[in-house]
Amino acid sequence: MIAGRRIVLGVSGSIAAFKGVALASQLVKAGASVDVVMTPSARRFIAPLSFRAITGRPVLTELWDEESSDAIGHVALGRAADLIVIAPATAATIARLAHGMADDALGATVLASSAPLLIAPAMEPHMWAAAATVENVTILRRRGAIVMEPGEGRLASGQIGRGRLPEPEEIVDAIAREFEREQDLMGRHVVVTAGGTREAIDPVRFIGNRSSGKMGVAVAEQARRRGARVTLIHGPLQVALPAGVEAVAVESTREMEEAIHSAVRTASALVMAAAPADFRPSAIAGQKIKRRASVTLDLVPNPDILARLADWRGIKVGFAAETDDVIENARAKVTAKRVDLIVANDVSEEGSGFGTDTNRVTFVFPDGRVESRPLQTKSAVADDILDLIVGLLALKEVVQPSST
Ligand code: PMT
């Protein structure tokens, strides 16, 4: 997969820069053509010659050294790249990339490129946890960059914590996975739902839930990155809409159901990450309900959207937001909703479920199989779900070659 690919390796100024040499060497051995771009501070840690010796190619260190005989311009490099990997990426480099700074060779190369961007951070634990870095990483992930989680352990400073550069082997694996996923949903239409729905009580109040929309938005983003045409049907979101998707805003569960029915006509897959309200008031008060000793709401059930799509032939993925007996309840939902996959998340677990950037999920299949995943970013969970959808779509084509 890596063989024959053109990879730009960006190296920024960290004590871990020497691992960039090991990474370059592994990529070259795997058959890639590797162009290295160094930030000015990277050169304080390692000489460009080390990279040149390994890759056999000139190293770009300055934005303005393009007149020199063998230097390749940042624009040409960015455009020709099949993938850009930045390892190590310091907090400063991550900040510069998040803000589109193009005043050094690495920033300019990234900005000139539309290739997938893989970032392998390395920094002190408190810098990785700093609010500014967290926001910068979120910006880059929202734009489609893959930001790896740094490793945990003892750092060069003697501090112990999260901030170690992932090992070169892990970075090579992530690059290989990225090439495998590249455009594997091209030509597919994927419908994704995100966020909670709201059921009006009166003109100012509603029944809602804690869904931020992050999980569904991550699925929509990754599906778009992998080449799908994406329709994102969403309730109110606490995150920005991803670029390049067809967004349909809805408020109530019944509105969501209507939008889904019209969108799935041309779709190959539906991923229901939304948390639609299961109940709604039997009547909406025409005027604001005045304060009084007690108010009783009569609730009626909303339609079960997934269950009512039983006859639709695309791949159906549901989520299960559980607080207890996670697997048992998810198994019951696979059967009741007749889906191809339930993604169960324990929403009472820290770092999982509503509003978080991470999720720990378990895949529950109709044949009873169960696969647990570690705590990961919602983008990584989204990619795991899409990997399964790609597999299920391929299987369906083998079973029903031209009738679907
Ligand atoms: O949005 P975030 O803050 O990122 O949080 C993510 C999440 C916790 C909302 C998400 O990971 C999740 O678990 N979504 C499903 C929430 C939910 O409604 O779970 P449920 O167990 O009640 O429903 C099971 C499945 O049926 C879900 O796919 C749901 O979308 C679907 N459903 C639910 C109700 C309904 N009336 N019709 C449905 O189709």
Side-chain angles (χ1 to χ4, degrees):
M1 271 298 172
I2 288 177
R5 300 297 189 135
R6 190 146 182 196
I7 297 174
V8 168
L9 168 60
V11 181
S12 58
S14 153
I15 188 82
F18 73 94
K19 283 195 190 169
V21 179
L23 174 61
S25 160
Q26 291 192 19
L27 291 173
V28 169
K29 276 189 197 139
S33 151
V34 179
D35 287 293
V36 176
V37 183
M38 299 176 76
T39 64
S41 43
R43 291 162 64 191
R44 291 172 177 261
F45 291 91
I46 196 148
L49 195 59
S50 307
F51 287 107
R52 188 173 183 139
I54 295 283
T55 64
R57 300 180 63 81
V59 174
L60 191 64
T61 55
E62 302 288 340
L63 196 50
W64 304 116
D65 69 355
E66 292 165 16
E67 301 82 32
S68 77
S69 57
D70 58 358
I72 311 150
H74 62 273
V75 175
L77 210 51
R79 290 218 182 123
D82 292 317
L83 180 137
I84 299 181
V85 52
I86 304 183
T90 58
T93 291
I94 286 173
R96 299 171 70 74
L97 295 176
H99 295 280
M101 304 286 281
D103 54 358
D104 68 11
L106 181 55
T109 305
V110 171
L111 216 57
S113 180
S114 56
L117 178 61
L118 178 75
I119 294 171
M123 65 193 77
E124 291 297 307
H126 58 275
M127 292 175 88
W128 175 247
T133 307
V134 171
E135 274 177 32
N136 291 331
V137 166
T138 305
I139 289 172
L140 289 168
R141 282 185 174 145
R142 199 172 295 143
R143 284 187 204 140
I146 302 153
V147 183
M148 297 179 74
E149 287 295 310
E152 214 162 344
R154 180 178 289 277
L155 300 164
S157 62
Q159 286 219 40
I160 294 174
R162 189 166 289 282
R164 282 168 68 99
L165 180 71
E167 291 305 319
E169 294 74 21
E170 292 172 60
I171 303 173
V172 172
D173 281 353
I175 292 171
R177 250 194 329 271
E178 183 55 27
F179 284 137
E180 274 161 29
R181 285 171 172 162
E182 202 178 61
Q183 305 297 296
D184 58 1
L185 285 168
M186 181 67 92
R188 304 286 190 184
H189 179 199
V190 177
V191 178
V192 184
T193 65
T197 58
R198 289 177 172 179
E199 301 294 344
I201 297 171
D202 67 15
V204 297
R205 303 181 179 96
F206 58 82
I207 299 174
N209 61 63
R210 297 178 193 282
S211 173
S212 63
K214 286 181 181 178
M215 189 63 245
V217 164
V219 175
E221 255 170 7
Q222 297 311 313
R224 181 206 23 96
R225 192 176 54 80
R226 293 167 71 155
R229 175 188 151 211
V230 177
T231 304
L232 176 62
I233 299 168
H234 64 90
L237 299 177
Q238 288 164 35
V239 282
L241 275 173
V245 307
E246 300 157 19
V248 181
V250 295
E251 181 137 330
S252 67
T253 294
R254 284 181 299 171
E255 277 174 33
M256 181 169 274
E257 181 177 42
E258 207 181 306
I260 291 171
H261 274 275
S262 108
V264 295
R265 278 187 208 129
T266 51
S268 310
L270 166 68
V271 183
M272 284 284 293
D278 278 319
F279 300 96
R280 67 179 187 278
S282 55
I284 303 171
Q287 315 227 297
K288 183 180 172 193
I289 298 169
K290 301 290 175 294
R291 191 179 166 79
R292 52 182 183 245
S294 77
V295 176
T296 305
L297 281 180
D298 179 45
L299 300 179
V300 292
N302 265 329
D304 184 331
I305 303 173
L306 268 175
R308 298 214 308 188
L309 279 170
D311 293 335
W312 181 64
R313 301 182 72 192
I315 304 298
K316 277 177 293 211
V317 176
F319 274 69
E322 303 295 343
T323 53
D324 53 272
D325 297 330
V326 177
I327 306 300
E328 234 170 89
N329 290 333
R331 280 201 168 122
K333 282 179 186 168
V334 175
T335 313
K337 292 176 185 269
R338 293 209 261 164
V339 291
D340 298 279
L341 169 69
I342 279 281
V343 182
N345 40 195
D346 183 343
V347 294
S348 61
E349 188 187 321
E350 202 179 327
S352 242
F354 294 108
T356 53
D357 290 322
T358 49
N359 211 358
R360 187 196 303 277
V361 301
T362 304
F363 295 134
V364 180
F365 299 90
D367 61 6
R369 262 179 316 125
V370 165
E371 275 179 26
S372 299
R373 291 287 193 273
L375 186 70
Q376 309 182 84
T377 62
K378 284 186 172 167
S379 301
V381 172
D383 263 330
D384 284 351
I385 295 169
L386 294 169
D387 287 348
L388 290 168
I389 290 177
V390 168
L392 287 167
L393 284 169
L395 201 65
K396 206 171 157 196
E397 265 150 31
V398 172
V399 178
Q400 298 163 321
S402 55
S403 58
T404 47

